[in-house]
Amino acid sequence: MECSTTISLTARFIHSIFAGKSILQTDELEEEIERRYFSSSQKALTVALRNASIKYRQLNKL
């Protein structure tokens, strides 16, 4: 398995976690990440989600 294949597979898997969900469902998405994503980058993905949610709320004044 080549590195590019692994990255593509990971991207598709992460997409499956976020597909159909709202960026505002932070708690639900974090739980799903913790339950399904066991990579060493799990914490980074969770932090990126939180930051994206905060930025979205700021831009949309929610």
Side-chain angles (χ1 to χ4, degrees):
M1 183 178 267
E2 293 183 23
C3 183
S4 61
T5 304
T6 303
I7 292 169
S8 176
L9 179 62
T10 301
R12 287 194 314 266
F13 181 73
I14 291 172
H15 180 268
S16 76
I17 291 174
F18 287 92
K21 308 268 185 354
S22 168
I23 192 78
L24 301 175
Q25 296 174 298
T26 310
D27 292 339
E28 180 182 324
L29 286 166
E30 282 186 36
E31 288 175 12
E32 185 146 3
I33 291 167
E34 289 174 10
R35 188 172 53 82
R36 295 180 56 198
Y37 188 65
F38 301 107
S39 171
S40 60
S41 60
Q42 181 189 62
K43 180 75 172 173
L45 185 60
T46 301
V47 170
L49 166 63
R50 285 185 204 146
N51 290 339
S53 180
I54 290 167
K55 192 65 168 180
Y56 180 85
R57 290 171 195 268
Q58 288 172 344
L59 292 171
N60 291 287
K61 299 190 185 347
L62 300 176

